[in-house]
Amino acid sequence: MLCSTALTVYFASYSIGTVVVITLACSLLLQLTYFASVLFLIWRSGCDSRAGPRAEHFGSCNEVGSQPPDHDEVTNESVDLRQLDQMLAISLLLP
């Protein structure tokens, strides 16, 4: 990124001094952006970890009623989808 910026500035201005100043400014901006994004990710992970105990306090998913699907139901759905795909492929082959 910095090399492409330096080349662009050089071919636009033909000045080494301008290239150095602009490249250092871009480098500083990239470092500040990286630092801010790391701080944001740390802050967000702290929010997620604080939400964990509250979620446990309100109960598990079994009490709420959002249970994961049964293994047989998932298997039957995948078989149905496979048969539907085969019928669609056959119907596309027919004139």
Side-chain angles (χ1 to χ4, degrees):
M1 172 102 179
L2 293 175
C3 290
S4 64
T5 302
L7 287 173
T8 304
V9 170
Y10 179 75
F11 287 121
S13 66
Y14 295 108
S15 171
I16 298 293
T18 305
V19 170
V20 170
V21 170
I22 297 292
T23 304
L24 288 175
C26 287
S27 175
L28 180 64
L29 182 64
L30 284 172
Q31 289 294 322
L32 287 174
T33 306
Y34 177 75
F35 184 69
S37 65
V38 169
L39 285 178
F40 174 74
L41 290 174
I42 291 170
W43 172 75
R44 198 172 86 179
S45 70
C47 289
D48 291 343
S49 66
R50 283 185 298 225
R54 278 187 269 151
E56 291 174 4
H57 174 71
F58 288 116
S60 66
C61 65
N62 293 335
E63 294 174 5
V64 176
S66 62
Q67 296 176 349
D70 191 23
H71 178 68
D72 293 334
E73 292 176 7
V74 173
T75 305
N76 291 339
E77 288 177 6
S78 63
V79 169
D80 292 340
L81 287 175
R82 197 172 333 133
Q83 289 174 349
L84 181 65
D85 287 342
Q86 289 173 351
M87 287 190 299
L88 181 63
I90 291 171
S91 67
L92 291 175
L93 292 175
L94 297 175

